[in-house]
Amino acid sequence: MTELHYDDFTSPIGTILIVCREDALCGLDYGDYSTRMHELIHSRFGEVVLTRRNDSNGYSGLLQAYFGGDFGALEAIRLDERGTPFQCRVWKALRSIPPGKTASYGEIAARLGAPAAARAVGLANSHNPVAIVTPCHRVIGSNGSLTGYAGGLGRKLWLLRHEGALPARSVRARSRKPSMVVT
């Protein structure tokens, strides 16, 4: 049985759950997706014992720095993703997309030397065990649309705006008609 540590904290997009071992982050997901995270942890580590440890390895603090605007803070986080060789290649490619930029599934497939594998890239992306740190939210459709995100499209939109990849929401000036939010 493997002992892993967990922590959580409140972020602007909800509760963030973190699971790690002594020297690496193993899982990161949202509080309302805890079942998904437990399934991913179990599929990769087998039977585990989760022990609460506040700010284990300093990862909660680094994530809070990210939410505060320090996008480089995530680079200090060591990962233990334990995926298939193809998944690991995809996740590594995701980490090469800088904050404020996006890439399509097809672009990532082409970078991996498998231009016809856009759907396989999407599947690997959906099994990313460490959301935000491995920035699957930076992957968009080939037409620029926001496509699926395991944490919900609202969070994906927030993260992309936070990083400067999309313009911030603007509000129209008030007129006689009710004001509308333009996204």
Side-chain angles (χ1 to χ4, degrees):
M1 191 165 300
T2 304
E3 181 180 0
L4 300 174
H5 309 285
Y6 76 93
D7 192 15
D8 58 32
F9 68 92
T10 302
S11 80
I13 53 175
T15 300
I16 302 290
L17 304 175
I18 299 169
V19 175
C20 59
R21 58 186 177 101
E22 288 299 326
D23 62 346
L25 181 67
C26 304
L28 188 150
D29 218 324
Y30 304 100
D32 48 339
Y33 289 89
S34 62
T35 300
R36 172 188 130 81
M37 187 173 83
H38 287 289
E39 289 170 359
L40 288 172
I41 293 290
H42 179 73
S43 71
R44 294 170 29 247
F45 291 90
E47 292 297 318
V48 298
V49 173
L50 291 173
T51 306
R52 181 160 187 87
R53 183 178 290 172
N54 293 334
D55 202 16
S56 186
N57 302 330
Y59 294 159
S60 295
L62 291 170
L63 281 150
Q64 289 171 347
Y66 163 84
F67 282 109
D70 180 2
F71 304 129
L74 301 183
E75 295 172 17
I77 297 177
R78 184 163 179 242
L79 302 176
D80 182 349
E81 297 162 308
R82 295 195 188 188
T84 67
F86 182 76
Q87 287 173 328
C88 290
R89 288 178 55 216
V90 169
W91 298 335
K92 183 177 179 181
L94 297 178
R95 288 191 302 277
S96 73
I97 306 168
K101 303 290 182 189
T102 59
S104 72
Y105 297 98
E107 289 169 339
I108 294 171
R111 286 183 203 171
L112 297 175
R119 287 181 188 238
V121 166
L123 184 60
N125 201 29
S126 72
H127 288 99
N128 172 16
V130 288
I132 303 171
V133 179
T134 297
C136 53
H137 61 276
R138 296 180 190 150
V139 182
I140 60 173
S142 60
N143 63 357
S145 64
L146 296 185
T147 56
Y149 182 63
L153 288 180
R155 285 186 175 121
K156 181 173 188 163
L157 179 62
W158 190 96
L159 290 165
L160 291 172
R161 284 182 171 155
H162 175 62
E163 295 176 352
L166 296 175
R169 227 182 308 186
S170 60
V171 178
R172 285 190 194 175
R174 285 192 177 256
S175 66
R176 291 183 181 194
K177 295 179 182 176
S179 62
M180 297 178 61
V181 176
V182 179
T183 58

